Amino acid sequence: MKILTLLFFTTLYLNAAYADEALTIELIDKPAQKWKLQDVSVEGTAQGTQVSGLLTAFHRFGLPSGHLDIVACTPSDDLIALTTTDYTPPFLTHREMKQGGIRFSTTFNQQLPTDTIIKVTFHRGQVRPQSDPEICRQLTADSSK
């Protein structure tokens, strides 16, 4: 029994040590924005790298439609990959509010380097038709405001 307990805590310790080497996540919330990002996590999968989390709001009604930009950047703000998810709910249902918001999940079709910075932000309006190579620098500027 002592060996199993030791093995259990060793596994927890090693998982925590590995988690310290995880990718960096930056949530970019803009002032006066009704949506809020929370509990965003990144996980390597067999298909690539999965980013998931919650999109929630302080109020249930009058929420703007839009999309999430989920961007993988190098430490020098060069674009590695970009993906978007579209959201158009006019309000959060009672169940969604109780569960903490609307879950989102997307997968990059590649394994990302360990020094990658994942930037997540909500934008009103339509999804951008093409990837902008300057988006990492723009999001860095937005987060420093």
Side-chain angles (χ1 to χ4, degrees), residues 69-141:
D69 282 334
I70 303 167
V71 185
C73 303
T74 65
S76 60
D77 279 337
D78 293 322
L79 179 65
I80 297 173
L82 165 69
T83 186
T84 60
T85 57
D86 194 19
Y87 285 99
T88 57
F91 64 93
L92 289 177
T93 65
H94 176 72
R95 181 178 181 185
E96 290 167 338
M97 286 292 281
K98 192 173 180 181
Q99 292 176 345
I102 300 170
R103 296 205 170 276
F104 68 88
S105 180
T106 189
T107 302
F108 290 107
N109 295 329
Q110 62 192 30
Q111 296 292 332
L112 299 173
T114 56
D115 62 347
T116 300
I117 301 167
I118 303 292
K119 299 181 182 193
V120 184
T121 187
F122 178 83
H123 291 284
R124 292 181 177 196
Q126 299 289 331
V127 175
R128 296 175 188 186
Q130 61 191 19
S131 64
D132 179 2
E134 294 296 314
I135 193 165
C136 291
R137 288 177 183 81
Q138 291 168 0
L139 291 177
T140 299

Side-chain angles (χ1 to χ4, degrees), residues 26-29 119 137-145:
E26 287 184 18
L27 305 179
I28 302 169
D29 288 323
K119 299 181 182 193
R137 288 177 183 81
Q138 291 168 0
L139 291 177
T140 299
D142 286 349
S143 67
S144 63
K145 288 181 182 178

